[in-house]
Amino acid sequence: MEIDELLTLERRGWDSLCDGTGGEFYGGLMTDDGVMVLAHGFALGRDAVVASLGDAPPWVGYEIRDPRLVALDDDATALVYTGRAWRDGEPAFEALMSSVYVRRDARWRLALYQQTPIPAG
């Protein structure tokens, strides 16, 4: 497994959060039983993620730093990285992020995404 393939998917996800198409993108990327565990204390299933992204303000930009893969088996891999994203007029959000991808029907799908905020300072 090449890290570039999953980084491309991860960047496409962040790009969709910047251009307002996140609901559509993640609706197609997540598994039916996929979950996002978010820094603000919510664990959302795919349908709730899609609904919440329809109302979310877009991010202006993002960075992915220090990415690495944790192979779980031939058809499951975790992408772990430090992410930083920002919106106009707000402090940047920085967190350790993990995306667990599973291969289903010959393509990678997002099964679990998790954020752990990095304290400021």
Side-chain angles (χ1 to χ4, degrees):
M1 155 60 39
E2 291 272 338
I3 194 168
D4 294 338
E5 186 177 3
L6 292 183
L7 274 174
T8 296
L9 277 176
E10 203 74 10
R11 285 188 181 105
R12 286 181 55 209
W14 277 105
D15 290 342
S16 75
L17 296 174
C18 291
D19 69 20
T21 61
E24 180 181 339
F25 179 79
Y26 284 103
L29 181 67
M30 291 178 74
T31 60
D32 291 343
D33 60 348
V35 175
M36 287 193 175
V37 181
L38 304 174
H40 60 323
F42 291 103
L44 303 176
R46 185 179 77 177
D47 292 343
V49 167
V50 170
S52 71
L53 289 175
D55 297 328
W59 295 98
V60 173
Y62 67 91
E63 298 172 352
I64 294 175
R65 294 190 313 270
D66 304 320
R68 65 179 181 213
L69 293 182
V70 178
L72 304 173
D73 67 27
D74 290 343
D75 292 318
T77 302
L79 174 64
V80 180
Y81 62 94
T82 301
R84 185 172 181 270
W86 53 94
R87 291 182 170 115
D88 282 334
E90 294 183 18
F93 171 69
E94 190 167 10
L96 298 174
M97 301 184 182
S98 302
S99 295
V100 176
Y101 288 95
V102 294
R103 193 181 342 250
R104 300 228 174 118
D105 300 321
R107 71 179 188 113
W108 290 107
R109 304 280 307 274
L110 182 64
L112 175 67
Y113 170 77
Q114 178 272 327
Q115 304 171 332
T116 302
I118 298 172

